[in-house]
Amino acid sequence: MDKPIVIVVGTRPEALKLIPLYCALQKAQLPVLLCATFQHTTLLQQVFDLFSITPDINLNIMQHDQSLHYLTQAIIEKMGTLFKLHDPSLLIVQGDTTTAFASALATFYKAIPIAHVEAGLRSGKINNPFPEEMNRVMIGKIATYHFAPTNLNVANLLNEGISRDHIFLTGNTIVDTLLMICDKIKRDELSIDAPIKAHVAMCKKLNKKLILMTLHRRENFDGKLVGMLEAVKEFAQRYDDVNIIFPAHLNPNVQKALKTSMVDLVANITTIPPVAYKELVYILQHAHWVITDSGGIQEEAVSLGKPLLVLRNETERPELLWENAGRLTGTNKTKILQDLETIHTQDTINVARNTYGDGHACQRITSIIKNIILESAPQKNYTEQNIKPLPQRENTHFLSNH
Ligand code: UD1
């Protein structure tokens, strides 16, 4: 068998954004293995179930309330073992998680080429989102090939001196996944959980505006998250024509903030355990607007034309602000309350946009891997010993030096 391409996923968003690529590479008859670090367990398994996929390799690393130090070392260590069993021609990582960064670093140590999906997103503030901004900057330095979702992402990479021969504009693979799931929901090919369906129906019947909320960023765990939730609580208590549905992340810090703020005690805020992706898409389809600090939901809300408030101080997805598809509200309690009232009273309506992708990103990436990357890959095996000193830029040496 030819050397495999290895795709690494660790968390829910990575799986959502890379499984369609795994399927596209398989369809193109390229040898490909799906490796799951299981940085997440429950949340990741839900995505595998949705696609009826079992990962080829399971690194099984999750610990309760794991630290970033633990995660990073465990992934590097286990990737080392993986490389003894498999000798990838290319390793693919996605986004900005610790799984993506640590596995890219481990791959760099073995001098194996790395492709980065969702490359070039930058908030410009190294601590925000934490540790994601630093993770993606470092992956940008390490990666050999960069699949950028938007023109802005391409420009960010060029600004950092990445060779333009190694940057490809593809769109974001999440739009492929989103449109596929929307299509399946429309055709009745996916069964949506009955309580979720009933909740959406109840809001319609009682003429309540359904609002989707997700909040889980690490940089807000130092108490800020409680204040943010209190702002939402105050808003919900003032307006009984809204119904806020809040699938709360399993991170223990999120669960604690939820209890401290007591949002779960307000009648028109419905706190529920994390929902599977098909339910999330279903809620999003029926939502009037969205409150979020998630990266993926920013892309999904814009793609479905749902106005949104981004409860973060920076966004690496400013295209949505330029297109007036959402607001960067921040994390200040008064400002959150103010923006919630504005979006509610103005009753903003948006149209669906292709800002982040058109649903064909995986097809483009597959074609680039097949016709450009694998075609031009050097035949010989690299080892730590036979890498020559680099004359120029570190992130382009795999192709240019040999
Ligand atoms: C991680 C990513 C973040 C991404 C988010 C999506 C990093 C540093 N962060 O954050 O970029 O937006 O995933 O969800 O990579 N837990 C479970 N079961 C699960 C998942 C999590 O119990 O299926 C709990 C565990 O106690 C775990 C904790 O959540 O220790 C934190 O998980 P972790 O992956 O470290 O961080 P996230 O906050 O999920």
Side-chain angles (χ1 to χ4, degrees), residues 39-43 63 65-66 98 132 216 218 249 251:
Q39 175 178 337
H40 284 174
T41 50
T42 328
L43 298 181
Q63 288 183 354
D65 208 8
Q66 57 208 356
T98 299
E132 287 79 7
H216 75 273
R218 251 170 216 264
H249 195 287
N251 190 305

Side-chain angles (χ1 to χ4, degrees), residues 115-263:
H116 185 204
V117 173
E118 197 180 277
L121 277 71
R122 298 288 183 269
S123 71
K125 295 269 162 41
I126 214 66
N127 284 319
N128 202 324
F130 175 87
E132 287 79 7
E133 175 75 358
M134 185 53 129
N135 282 343
R136 58 188 164 223
V137 167
M138 293 189 291
I139 299 169
K141 285 282 165 212
I142 297 169
T144 326
Y145 306 103
H146 309 259
F147 296 119
T150 70
N151 283 314
L152 172 70
N153 307 147
V154 171
N156 289 340
L157 293 165
L158 291 172
N159 272 340
E160 291 177 15
I162 310 269
S163 159
R164 67 177 172 198
D165 294 341
H166 290 175
I167 304 172
F168 304 92
L169 178 63
T170 59
N172 199 311
T173 57
I174 193 63
V175 185
D176 299 26
T177 314
L178 175 71
L179 298 185
M180 186 179 87
I181 298 298
C182 285
D183 193 49
K184 281 181 186 270
I185 292 176
K186 197 168 146 199
R187 289 161 190 256
D188 252 339
E189 287 171 14
L190 289 172
S191 78
I192 304 298
D193 265 5
I196 299 286
K197 270 186 132 167
H199 188 85
V200 168
M202 181 271 292
C203 288
K204 280 217 168 92
K205 194 169 158 218
L206 300 179
N207 222 1
K208 307 265 183 205
K209 287 181 185 157
L210 181 66
I211 296 155
L212 169 66
M213 172 162 85
T214 76
L215 293 172
H216 75 273
R217 298 241 72 101
R218 251 170 216 264
E219 63 272 14
N220 299 327
F221 289 167
D222 58 352
K224 249 188 255 143
L225 188 54
V226 175
M228 293 159 74
L229 289 172
E230 281 169 355
V232 175
K233 190 171 112 181
E234 213 167 307
F235 167 73
Q237 284 166 331
R238 272 187 213 174
Y239 297 91
D240 70 356
D241 58 337
V242 299
N243 187 289
I244 301 174
I245 186 159
F246 177 29
H249 195 287
L250 293 172
N251 190 305
N253 296 284
V254 176
Q255 297 293 329
K256 206 167 121 202
L258 203 151
K259 292 273 165 303
T260 314
S261 64
M262 297 191 284
V263 274

Side-chain angles (χ1 to χ4, degrees), residues 314-341:
E314 329 286 339
T315 179
E316 55 294 278
R317 294 161 173 92
E319 298 90 343
L320 74 92
L321 305 176
W322 303 334
E323 295 188 357
N324 199 27
R327 277 172 181 243
L328 189 60
T329 293
T331 53
N332 174 280
K333 200 173 157 177
T334 318
K335 178 74 166 63
I336 294 174
L337 196 51
Q338 206 177 8
D339 277 8
L340 285 169
E341 295 203 320

